[in-house]
Amino acid sequence: MASTQDRNLLAVIGDEDSVTGLLLAGVGNIGQDQKKNFLVVDSKTQIPVIEAAFEDFTTRKDIAILLINQHVAEKIRPMVDKYQAAFPALLEIPSKDHPYDPSKDSILKRVQKLFGE
Protein backbone atom coordinates (compact mmCIF):
# COMPACT_ATOMS: atom_id res chain seq x y z
CA MET A 1 0.00 0.00 0.00
CA ALA A 2 1.35 3.41 -0.96
CA SER A 3 1.52 6.11 1.65
CA THR A 4 -0.39 9.33 1.18
CA GLN A 5 2.96 11.08 0.68
CA ASP A 6 3.40 9.18 -2.60
CA ARG A 7 0.13 10.58 -3.91
CA ASN A 8 1.13 13.87 -5.46
CA LEU A 9 -0.89 14.11 -8.67
CA LEU A 10 -4.33 15.25 -9.71
CA ALA A 11 -6.03 13.29 -12.48
CA VAL A 12 -8.85 14.58 -14.65
CA ILE A 13 -11.46 12.99 -16.90
CA GLY A 14 -13.41 15.67 -18.70
CA ASP A 15 -14.30 17.63 -21.77
CA GLU A 16 -11.68 19.45 -23.79
CA ASP A 17 -12.18 22.83 -22.11
CA SER A 18 -11.95 21.45 -18.57
CA VAL A 19 -8.89 19.32 -19.27
CA THR A 20 -7.15 22.10 -21.19
CA GLY A 21 -7.72 24.57 -18.37
CA LEU A 22 -6.32 22.17 -15.79
CA LEU A 23 -3.35 21.31 -18.00
CA LEU A 24 -2.59 25.01 -18.41
CA ALA A 25 -2.71 25.30 -14.61
CA GLY A 26 0.05 22.69 -14.41
CA VAL A 27 -1.90 19.55 -13.55
CA GLY A 28 -0.70 17.49 -16.53
CA ASN A 29 1.84 14.73 -16.13
CA ILE A 30 3.17 12.02 -18.42
CA GLY A 31 5.24 9.48 -16.54
CA GLN A 32 8.29 7.58 -17.74
CA ASP A 33 5.95 4.75 -18.73
CA GLN A 34 4.02 7.24 -20.94
CA LYS A 35 0.96 7.06 -18.66
CA LYS A 36 -1.03 10.29 -18.66
CA ASN A 37 -3.05 11.60 -15.75
CA PHE A 38 -5.83 13.00 -17.93
CA LEU A 39 -8.43 11.89 -20.47
CA VAL A 40 -10.22 14.21 -22.86
CA VAL A 41 -13.77 13.00 -23.45
CA ASP A 42 -15.77 14.10 -26.47
CA SER A 43 -18.89 12.81 -28.22
CA LYS A 44 -16.85 10.11 -29.97
CA THR A 45 -15.24 8.72 -26.80
CA GLN A 46 -16.64 5.29 -26.09
CA ILE A 47 -17.83 4.37 -22.60
CA PRO A 48 -15.30 1.49 -22.22
CA VAL A 49 -12.48 4.01 -22.73
CA ILE A 50 -13.88 6.23 -19.96
CA GLU A 51 -14.34 3.20 -17.70
CA ALA A 52 -10.77 2.06 -18.33
CA ALA A 53 -9.38 5.51 -17.49
CA PHE A 54 -11.50 5.68 -14.33
CA GLU A 55 -10.28 2.24 -13.26
CA ASP A 56 -6.67 3.17 -14.03
CA PHE A 57 -6.78 6.50 -12.19
CA THR A 58 -8.52 5.07 -9.12
CA THR A 59 -5.97 2.28 -8.75
CA ARG A 60 -2.81 4.29 -9.37
CA LYS A 61 -0.74 4.96 -6.26
CA ASP A 62 0.50 8.40 -7.37
CA ILE A 63 -2.91 10.10 -7.72
CA ALA A 64 -4.41 11.94 -4.76
CA ILE A 65 -7.51 13.47 -6.38
CA LEU A 66 -9.53 12.47 -9.43
CA LEU A 67 -11.61 15.25 -10.97
CA ILE A 68 -14.36 14.17 -13.34
CA ASN A 69 -16.88 16.31 -15.18
CA GLN A 70 -20.32 15.52 -13.85
CA HIS A 71 -21.77 14.89 -17.31
CA VAL A 72 -18.95 12.39 -17.97
CA ALA A 73 -19.55 10.74 -14.59
CA GLU A 74 -23.17 10.22 -15.65
CA LYS A 75 -21.94 7.99 -18.49
CA ILE A 76 -20.27 5.66 -15.98
CA ARG A 77 -22.55 6.35 -13.01
CA PRO A 78 -22.60 2.74 -11.68
CA MET A 79 -18.78 2.75 -11.40
CA VAL A 80 -18.73 6.19 -9.81
CA ASP A 81 -21.42 5.29 -7.28
CA LYS A 82 -19.64 2.04 -6.42
CA TYR A 83 -16.31 3.77 -5.76
CA GLN A 84 -15.76 3.99 -1.98
CA ALA A 85 -12.01 4.51 -1.44
CA ALA A 86 -10.66 7.57 0.35
CA PHE A 87 -7.71 7.88 -2.04
CA PRO A 88 -7.77 9.07 -4.64
CA ALA A 89 -10.57 11.38 -3.62
CA LEU A 90 -13.24 11.60 -6.32
CA LEU A 91 -14.76 14.99 -7.09
CA GLU A 92 -17.40 15.72 -9.69
CA ILE A 93 -17.00 19.14 -11.29
CA PRO A 94 -19.16 21.16 -13.67
CA SER A 95 -18.14 22.04 -17.20
CA LYS A 96 -18.73 25.09 -19.33
CA ASP A 97 -21.66 23.51 -21.18
CA HIS A 98 -23.08 21.36 -18.36
CA PRO A 99 -23.87 23.07 -15.04
CA TYR A 100 -23.43 21.29 -11.72
CA ASP A 101 -26.47 19.33 -10.51
CA PRO A 102 -26.23 18.49 -6.79
CA SER A 103 -28.90 15.79 -7.12
CA LYS A 104 -26.53 13.73 -9.30
CA ASP A 105 -23.37 14.10 -7.19
CA SER A 106 -22.45 10.73 -5.64
CA ILE A 107 -20.38 12.30 -2.84
CA LEU A 108 -23.17 14.68 -1.86
CA LYS A 109 -25.65 11.77 -1.88
CA ARG A 110 -23.41 9.86 0.56
CA VAL A 111 -23.11 12.87 2.87
CA GLN A 112 -26.89 13.36 2.84
CA LYS A 113 -27.37 9.67 3.62
CA LEU A 114 -24.97 9.96 6.59
CA PHE A 115 -26.98 12.85 7.99
CA GLY A 116 -30.28 11.09 7.33
CA GLU A 117 -31.56 13.56 4.76
Side-chain angles (χ1 to χ4, degrees):
M1 183 172 157
S3 77
T4 55
Q5 292 176 343
D6 296 333
R7 295 184 181 272
N8 55 9
L9 293 178
L10 287 167
V12 61
I13 301 173
D15 60 20
E16 186 175 11
D17 290 336
S18 298
V19 173
T20 300
L22 289 163
L23 292 178
L24 288 171
V27 168
N29 182 62
I30 300 177
Q32 292 178 345
D33 55 358
Q34 299 301 310
K35 284 184 123 180
K36 299 176 184 175
N37 66 333
F38 56 91
L39 174 68
V40 176
V41 177
D42 60 20
S43 60
K44 297 175 188 167
T45 306
Q46 296 183 359
I47 290 175
V49 173
I50 301 169
E51 290 174 338
F54 182 85
E55 185 68 32
D56 178 42
F57 295 155
T58 55
T59 56
R60 282 178 50 178
K61 302 300 181 197
D62 59 344
I63 294 178
I65 300 172
L66 171 56
L67 303 174
I68 185 168
N69 280 138
Q70 192 173 48
H71 73 279
V72 175
E74 280 300 307
K75 295 179 180 185
I76 58 167
R77 181 57 63 193
M79 284 184 81
V80 171
D81 287 346
K82 194 169 88 171
Y83 182 72
Q84 297 283 325
F87 289 104
L90 176 63
L91 299 173
E92 293 182 31
I93 60 173
S95 68
K96 184 174 78 171
D97 299 325
H98 299 88
Y100 176 75
D101 183 357
S103 68
K104 295 179 181 177
D105 190 326
S106 61
I107 302 296
L108 188 57
K109 285 180 189 174
R110 273 189 236 148
V111 170
Q112 289 172 335
K113 189 176 179 181
L114 275 172
F115 289 110
E117 295 178 17

